[in-house]
Amino acid sequence: MTTAFHEELKLELTLTIGGKSFSIPGGQVKHVSARLANHGFTASVSFWTALEKKDAPLFTAFQKPDLVQVRLAVSAVDPELGSPPAPIVLQGLARSRRLVAETHGGLKGTERVFRNYTLEFADAAQVLWRQHRPVELHTDISMAEIIDAHKASLQINQDWAVLRQKMPMLCLALGADAPGVSFYDFILWYVDANNGIWGYDNQKNEYLLADSKPSSGTVAPLDRLRVADVRAQLPPTIRHGTRVLNALANGPTTTPIEQKQAIAGVSHDVMLRTPITAQAEQRQKLEKTRLQVRQRQLQVSFNRFPSVDVFPGAQLRLEGPHWPSSFTGRDEDHRVLELNLEAHAERDSQHDEQQNTVASYQVLLSARLEPSSEPLATLPPYRTPRYPIHVEGLVHSPGGEAPDRRYLIVDDEKTSLSYFRMTVPLWNQTVSVPAEPIHFPGHFFFPPYKNTRVLVELHFDRADLIRFLDWKEGVRTPQDGQGDQILLGWNKTSQTAFTHDFQEDNPVWRMHRTSGGDTQIIRMGEGHLFIQVKETPAGGPPTPTYDVSPQVQAAKADLSASVGGAIGETSAAYQGAMTAVRAKMKSAQAEVKGALGGARAEVGAKVAEAKSGMQGAMSRLSEGVGKLSGTAESAKAALQKLK
């Protein structure tokens, strides 16, 4: 349990509003509350100002809707420390602000007031990205480029090979029709889905996107005398296994992923449908990682401000003569995962400590630690983005004139999959959708024609053709005839039409072929069969041409897919190699730490043995001295008797 303690604190508060900076003396700050985590922070600060005019610059700026930048540095004033730790620094943006005024009276003919300002603020990503809800479609782009386009003023270190992979398409679906889902949620969802790390360094005001936690940093010993209480927090045990189900008609697979503590028959099943083996294997690796059990954590409450850095990410070790030898976590390296700070001024009146930089506070301070070897990320709660979204598109097929009915199928030689191309006019982007029969059975081959209006379903990194939205020009028949028609071919001068309708309530079927001035008609009606072959000289035969645009576009698409696939494979191989190297390095570090721990234990045992021996020798020496003293006293007594 966290208990308040007295501490002299130096608080440095700076507000920047509309380009103007305002420095607030630390003594004016009456309350600070902050929760710092490895992914960001939230905080509030309250302070009094003295004898302000009605139009004081801070008061005037505070009322405007300008962005408020807040910088707060907290450090303890402790004469016992020769080299104090770095101040805890919070740099963020205001989320809300409040103001209360108390009239003081007139001073030199001008009315003056005390004002109490309260600000709630957080790191910039939370403040800005939680209000950012874009709906966008991008093609041939990487996640790194997406983040750069939306990072505003944030400093983000992108040390993750996955982010640099070029993707055929990426869609952001974060609009107002998905309430509560923001770009911040999207980033957390992406990190979680790809087993990555989202970190924040409050001292540098810098974010990190990486595939593993940073292992750099000097480990500092935590003084037991400044700790009030330590509690071990054991993670919940995972009692289920996982099965990855690939629901293909040809070659379905069910891959069980086991873990030691799973109960037989208890499983989390993951369903996917992909003919690409690499995608299925990637999902299996991800689910295996999610079955890892977190290591034990420590909740530490302080009775003094620590003598070492305790902000999130700092490395600590519980060592020193005041820690019991059997204490949980002793002589182990830990990383600060979370820090909670609350400080109330002991003199909280608007008249107190107005110009002082240091003041006395009642402080509540606690930290949550995890082993430095913990690989699993700790993310805040988030809302999952809503996919898919639906937009209108036009079938893309190069070559010919705009009204021509041409189609394009792009074959991916690597995966043996085929795709149609769809242009989404809203963003002027062209995406690939699986070339499938859609609503027709497999013995019909009716690929979508150029510029056909369709409904496209957009997922995060893929698209699907849902249905067609209109008829091509000339296909629809007059309603009076209640007819049906199939129109095949390129255009009016080169096509074949199959029509069935009713004339005078009798069914009529006809086939009409047109190729320039050459026409053939077959018509069957009530009691007759009509066949006509006709060539109109004025029309003339069509000029023989051969449009290679579809082949060129298909070749471009194939090349783009091949290059993107090669880059993806290279990035994946690099990431895999780096992951393996990091794992080996961490394993080596763990072995070295284990050896050092064993050495410490052995040295400690020998020291204890030596101490025990010395204590025994001292005890025997004392016993001998006692006997000698007794003998001497007896001799003195005997001499006295002789006298």
Side-chain angles (χ1 to χ4, degrees), residues 579-617:
T579 301
V581 170
R582 289 192 181 102
K584 291 180 180 179
M585 291 177 63
K586 289 183 178 180
S587 176
Q589 289 175 356
E591 290 181 3
V592 171
K593 289 178 181 178
L596 288 174
R600 288 195 190 100
E602 184 177 353
V603 170
K606 291 184 177 179
V607 169
E609 183 181 354
K611 286 182 178 178
S612 177
M614 291 178 63
Q615 289 175 354

Side-chain angles (χ1 to χ4, degrees), residues 144-158:
E145 293 174 280
I146 294 285
I147 294 170
D148 286 340
H150 293 269
K151 69 180 182 180
S153 59
L154 306 183
Q155 299 296 319
I156 305 176
N157 179 16
Q158 302 183 43

Side-chain angles (χ1 to χ4, degrees), residues 632-643:
E633 291 296 330
S634 299
K636 286 181 180 180
L639 289 172
Q640 290 294 333
K641 289 180 180 179
L642 292 174
K643 293 179 179 180

Side-chain angles (χ1 to χ4, degrees), residues 40-60:
F41 75 87
T42 57
S44 65
V45 61
S46 179
F47 61 92
W48 282 97
T49 58
L51 303 179
E52 280 191 328
K53 297 181 180 180
K54 284 188 174 182
D55 58 349
L58 175 59
F59 175 67
T60 302

Side-chain angles (χ1 to χ4, degrees), residues 9 32 91 100 126 180 204 224 309 320 322 331 359 387 392 411 418 427 441 514 516 551 581 605 637:
L9 297 181
V32 171
Q91 301 178 72
V100 177
Q126 290 195 68
K204 298 179 180 179
R224 174 65 180 87
D309 294 334
H322 300 292
D331 294 330
Y387 287 103
E392 290 193 10
D411 296 320
S418 300
W427 296 288
T514 302
Q551 286 76 9
V581 170

Side-chain angles (χ1 to χ4, degrees), residues 13-19 40-45 62 65-72 90-97 118-131 151-155 200 205 207:
L13 176 61
T14 302
L15 307 180
T16 303
I17 309 174
F41 75 87
T42 57
S44 65
V45 61
F62 197 80
D66 295 336
L67 192 69
V68 180
Q69 298 175 329
V70 184
R71 186 186 187 279
L72 175 65
L90 302 177
Q91 301 178 72
L93 302 176
R95 297 197 294 183
S96 67
R97 38 189 161 175
T118 300
L119 286 163
E120 293 181 352
F121 61 105
D123 62 279
Q126 290 195 68
V127 177
L128 298 178
W129 279 356
R130 286 195 184 279
Q131 299 186 41
K151 69 180 182 180
S153 59
L154 306 183
Q155 299 296 319
Y200 175 68
N205 194 25
Y207 297 89

Side-chain angles (χ1 to χ4, degrees), residues 188-470:
L188 296 176
W189 166 78
Y190 179 86
V191 169
D192 193 18
N194 290 276
N195 193 32
I197 299 295
W198 169 250
Y200 175 68
D201 187 334
N202 63 282
Q203 300 297 102
K204 298 179 180 179
N205 194 25
E206 182 178 88
Y207 297 89
L208 172 67
L209 280 165
D211 60 347
S212 62
K213 296 180 180 179
S215 57
S216 61
T218 303
V219 181
L222 183 61
D223 187 356
R224 174 65 180 87
L225 299 180
R226 293 176 179 263
V227 174
D229 181 58
V230 179
R231 297 188 179 188
Q233 297 180 341
L234 301 180
T237 304
I238 300 176
R239 298 299 184 189
H240 66 83
T242 298
R243 296 185 301 181
V244 178
L245 288 68
N246 194 359
L248 294 176
N250 299 324
T253 60
T254 299
T255 304
I257 302 175
E258 301 177 354
Q259 63 99 4
K260 296 180 180 178
Q261 304 301 325
I263 302 299
V266 180
S267 175
H268 280 190
D269 289 350
V270 178
M271 177 77 75
L272 64 152
R273 184 180 73 91
T274 174
I276 303 176
T277 304
Q279 293 181 357
E281 292 176 348
Q282 183 179 3
R283 186 57 184 266
Q284 293 165 17
K285 291 179 181 178
L286 174 62
E287 296 304 324
K288 185 176 182 179
T289 302
R290 289 177 172 172
L291 288 177
Q292 295 183 41
V293 179
R294 290 186 181 276
Q295 301 179 43
R296 173 257 305 134
Q297 297 179 352
L298 298 179
Q299 185 70 31
V300 180
S301 301
F302 296 95
N303 56 26
R304 294 279 306 277
F305 234 80
S307 57
V308 295
D309 294 334
V310 291
F311 46 76
Q315 304 280 336
L316 301 176
R317 182 185 295 127
L318 278 58
E319 69 175 16
H322 300 292
W323 291 101
S325 58
S326 60
F327 196 85
T328 300
R330 177 191 165 99
D331 294 330
E332 296 179 7
D333 292 348
H334 291 83
R335 180 189 298 109
V336 179
L337 193 61
E338 181 181 306
L339 182 71
N340 289 281
L341 166 67
E342 188 159 359
H344 295 268
E346 295 180 350
R347 301 179 63 192
D348 59 357
S349 169
Q350 62 268 40
H351 303 280
D352 298 328
E353 314 281 4
Q354 277 292 328
Q355 301 303 320
N356 293 344
T357 58
V358 177
S360 300
Y361 293 84
Q362 285 295 310
V363 179
L364 293 169
L365 185 64
S366 64
R368 187 154 57 102
L369 313 181
E370 66 175 4
S372 296
S373 59
E374 175 63 84
L376 299 181
T378 301
L379 298 173
Y382 64 86
R383 293 181 173 92
T384 301
R386 188 205 68 172
Y387 287 103
I389 60 174
H390 296 86
V391 296
E392 290 193 10
L394 298 174
V395 176
H396 174 75
S397 177
E401 302 297 329
D404 285 357
R405 296 185 296 272
R406 296 174 181 263
Y407 69 86
L408 172 68
I409 297 180
V410 179
D411 296 320
D412 188 335
E413 295 181 357
K414 186 173 182 180
T415 61
S416 299
L417 299 179
S418 300
Y419 297 93
F420 300 130
R421 301 281 286 164
M422 304 289 158
T423 297
V424 181
L426 179 60
W427 296 288
N428 193 29
Q429 298 288 344
T430 301
V431 300
S432 296
V433 302
E436 298 173 342
I438 315 296
H439 299 300
F440 287 101
H443 54 275
F444 283 86
F445 183 71
F446 286 92
Y449 287 141
K450 175 181 182 177
N451 288 333
T452 299
R453 185 166 152 255
V454 295
L455 185 66
V456 179
E457 188 175 77
L458 297 178
H459 298 260
F460 169 57
D461 56 2
R462 63 181 179 87
D464 289 303
L465 172 60
I466 299 302
R467 60 187 175 89
F468 300 96
L469 299 178
D470 63 4

